[in-house]
Each structure stands twice: as structure tokens, then as C-alpha cells.
Amino acid sequence: MLIDTYGRVATDLRVSLTDRCNLRCTYCMPEEGLQWLSKPDLLTDDEIVRLIDIAVTSLGIKEVRFTGGEPLLRPGLVGIVERVAALAPRPQMSLTTNGIGLRRTATALKAAGLDRVNVSLDTLRPEVFKALTRRDRHKDVIEGLHAAREAGLTPVKVNTVLMPGLNEDEAPDLLAWAVEHDYELRFIEQMPLDAQHGWKREGMVTAGDILASLRTRFELAPEGADERGSAPAERWIVDGGPHRVGVIASVTRPFCAACDRTRLTADGQIRTCLFATEETDLRGALRSGAPDEEIARIWRLAMWGKKAGSGLDDPSFLQPERPMSAIGG
């Protein structure tokens, strides 16, 4: 079991498979100049599967989310999913992706055992997509979403970040589109995880702003705390149902008290929080020949030291030095 001093138990493992991405979203990374991890620093496929095996069989992990950077850039992704699906007990598996490669991989991922996907899409307007991501790939994401739904990777969740002056007016249109296509839309407040440290609390589009915009066109009824559990998204029933819309308000409505996540970076470090500035090395233990029991002990000790909150509400908050692409969202 992965328990901390506040009684929280981690059952959800986020695994970053690579720090690389084929987009350059303005709220995540600069257009150029990032120092990528070298291949020897990255965990191998075998090391990833071994760590997930330890997490599932010895530490109580029930859900595994593959992230990046962009996890579809990992050459061995389908094989990793297939091997994790064969573990006993079998964890629920999902993947967070920008969707660009989903059209060609969705069917194979479903066959390998992936349960569902979260796809990042911030706008319905191709020109705004190009401005936000610095790439002209909007059509590829739309096709990837369709492929995921057709392959049965459902519910297909769409993650959206609203940025002032770019797409902050699109919330109602995005929700209408998601309802039409049977996607579950989740708005995410912009978080301080950009490599260029350009995030500012002032002027950000908040959960309150998002909900006020949605209510100009839709009737929203809160789903309730019992339904939410430890999920990061607060959800609202849209126009009486059955569709839902979520808001992940890490900045203005933190949910740290119910957090059940532990994070493994692409280079084998344990992070107890997305906003943590400290890491615990598992790669070194793996490569020095440590047995599973020792690795599990190190992991438990790391989680025991998890802080009460993210620190975002502290004026002296220290932004993590590594961008989100290296940590895993």
C-alpha cells in the first residue's frame, strides 16, 4: 500500500513514457531549446513493465495512466500496454494523448488492452489550434478522436485549456460539439508547468469563468461529491443528462485532500505530486540490481513523505524546474 502521513492512499499511477512531444503548446513548452532526455536516461520497456508490476502486485495500484510528453511517440507503447494488461490483478489502463497519432494506433491499442483515452484539444478553430500548438495538426486530432471512439476506447475524454485572448470564448461551442459527438469534455485550469515559466495567476481563465460562460447556453447541475470521489474533475450534468462536463481547477479549487495519485517520470523518478520539486530515484535501484521488495520499500517511503497540498495557494510557490512534458500530466 502507498499511504502518506495524511491517510491518503495512492491507487492511481501516472506513467510518463517520454518527454518528447510533436506539438509545442504555448502553456507547456517553448518552441525550441528544450534539452530532451537521452535514450540511456529513459526507462526501457522492460523497466517500465517491471515497475508497474511492482506497483500493481505489491503496492495496491489499481489504475495506470500512460502519459508523456506524447506517449504515442513511444515505439514500444502497444507492447507495454499488452504486457500490463496481462498482469494479475489487471489494472484499468488509460492514456493521455494529443491525439495526432490515434487514427493509426487506436485499434491496436484497444486490441492490446487499453481501456480508454483522454485527448487534449483546446479549440475547434484550426487557426487558433496552430497559434496554441505552433503546429498545423488540428485535422489529425479530430480524426484521432473519431478513431478512438470507433475503436471502443470509451468514454473518450477531451481535455481543454482556455487561454486569455486565444480561445477563452469557446467554452459553450466546445461543449455543444462534445455533446454532439458523445465525448466527455473536461476543462483544465492553466497550471504553472511551462518550461519558460511564463504562467501568471493574474488573468488566467478560472473554473468560475468557465462555468459562467457555459451557463450562458446550458443548464448545469452539480453531480455531487459522492460521485466525484478522488477524481480531479468536478462534474456537472448538462441539460438534465446524460452528458457531463468536468472542470479540473487545480489552482482555484485544489483537491489535494482526496488525491490518490503517484507519478513515475520517463527517467524513472517518483513524484508524489505534479507540482513537487523533489523526486525519488527508482531507476538507480533498478539498474543496480535491487530486488522488487527493495524497490517497493523505496516507493513506499517516498509516498509517506507526500506533502499535504500542492503549494499553489502559497505566494512563495516554487515552480517545478522540469516542464510537464518530462513529468507526465
Side-chain angles (χ1 to χ4, degrees), residues 63-76:
E63 299 178 42
V64 175
R65 171 88 59 88
F66 296 109
T67 70
E70 173 46 51
L72 295 183
L73 295 180
R74 178 89 186 198

Side-chain angles (χ1 to χ4, degrees), residues 76-98:
L77 172 61
V78 172
I80 290 171
V81 170
E82 190 170 39
R83 291 169 67 184
V84 173
L87 297 178
R90 180 199 187 279
Q92 287 290 305
M93 283 186 293
S94 58
L95 179 140
T96 294
T97 172
N98 61 31

Side-chain angles (χ1 to χ4, degrees), residues 80-123:
I80 290 171
V81 170
E82 190 170 39
R83 291 169 67 184
V84 173
L87 297 178
R90 180 199 187 279
Q92 287 290 305
M93 283 186 293
S94 58
L95 179 140
T96 294
T97 172
N98 61 31
I100 288 175
L102 266 181
R103 182 169 60 88
R104 67 177 184 274
T105 56
T107 300
L109 286 168
K110 179 64 177 180
L114 192 71
D115 295 300
R116 63 172 189 82
V117 294
N118 287 25
V119 180
S120 299
L121 180 66
D122 301 321
T123 178

Side-chain angles (χ1 to χ4, degrees), residues 33-322:
L34 270 180
Q35 186 68 41
W36 303 115
L37 292 168
S38 64
K39 188 172 181 179
D41 289 334
L42 291 170
L43 293 175
T44 66
D45 292 0
D46 287 345
E47 288 171 337
I48 289 169
V49 173
R50 182 182 171 195
L51 287 174
I52 295 174
D53 188 0
I54 292 169
V56 168
T57 59
S58 301
L59 298 173
I61 291 298
K62 298 177 181 177
E63 299 178 42
V64 175
R65 171 88 59 88
F66 296 109
T67 70
E70 173 46 51
L72 295 183
L73 295 180
R74 178 89 186 198
L77 172 61
V78 172
I80 290 171
V81 170
E82 190 170 39
R83 291 169 67 184
V84 173
L87 297 178
R90 180 199 187 279
Q92 287 290 305
M93 283 186 293
S94 58
L95 179 140
T96 294
T97 172
N98 61 31
I100 288 175
L102 266 181
R103 182 169 60 88
R104 67 177 184 274
T105 56
T107 300
L109 286 168
K110 179 64 177 180
L114 192 71
D115 295 300
R116 63 172 189 82
V117 294
N118 287 25
V119 180
S120 299
L121 180 66
D122 301 321
T123 178
L124 298 176
R125 305 191 294 243
E127 69 278 8
V128 176
F129 182 92
K130 187 174 180 180
L132 276 167
T133 68
R134 305 183 178 104
R135 299 290 187 271
D136 189 11
R137 306 296 298 271
H138 188 265
K139 180 174 180 288
D140 296 310
V141 180
I142 297 297
E143 291 178 350
L145 279 160
H146 177 77
R149 188 186 61 204
E150 292 302 300
L153 293 170
T154 55
V156 176
K157 296 184 179 181
V158 177
N159 293 342
T160 296
V161 176
L162 297 181
M163 300 286 288
L166 283 170
N167 62 339
E168 62 183 321
D169 61 330
E170 285 197 69
D173 289 341
L174 281 159
L175 181 53
W177 167 81
V179 168
E180 177 186 355
H181 293 280
D182 200 25
Y183 303 138
E184 183 177 322
L185 182 62
R186 310 192 315 166
F187 292 97
I188 304 175
E189 287 183 336
Q190 184 195 2
M191 295 179 285
L193 290 167
D194 54 313
Q196 61 271 37
H197 292 194
W199 178 84
K200 295 288 186 295
R201 185 184 296 267
E202 300 78 17
M204 65 172 285
V205 182
T206 67
D209 298 331
I210 294 165
L211 292 169
S213 178
L214 292 176
R215 286 186 169 116
T216 64
R217 196 183 305 180
F218 300 95
E219 179 182 332
L220 302 180
E223 188 177 55
D226 290 342
E227 290 289 336
R228 180 182 184 183
S230 60
E234 290 183 80
R235 297 204 307 176
W236 281 263
I237 302 167
V238 180
D239 289 342
H243 292 95
R244 306 302 200 255
V245 63
V247 179
I248 299 177
S250 300
V251 178
T252 63
R253 304 183 185 184
F255 40 85
C256 302
C259 181
D260 66 348
R261 285 168 289 288
T262 183
R263 299 176 183 275
L264 178 65
T265 68
D267 56 350
Q269 310 300 304
I270 287 298
R271 278 191 169 233
T272 60
C273 175
L274 189 59
F275 303 103
T277 55
E278 306 88 14
E279 297 177 334
T280 300
D281 181 29
L282 293 185
R283 185 188 64 198
L286 275 175
R287 294 182 180 177
S288 67
D292 290 358
E293 294 78 9
E294 174 61 12
I295 292 169
R297 186 194 69 80
I298 295 170
W299 204 330
R300 288 191 191 97
L301 188 60
M303 293 305 294
W304 183 251
K306 184 172 181 173
K307 295 179 179 179
S310 64
L312 283 176
D313 54 350
D314 185 341
S316 63
F317 169 73
L318 181 64
Q319 185 169 335
E321 286 302 314
R322 298 220 278 174

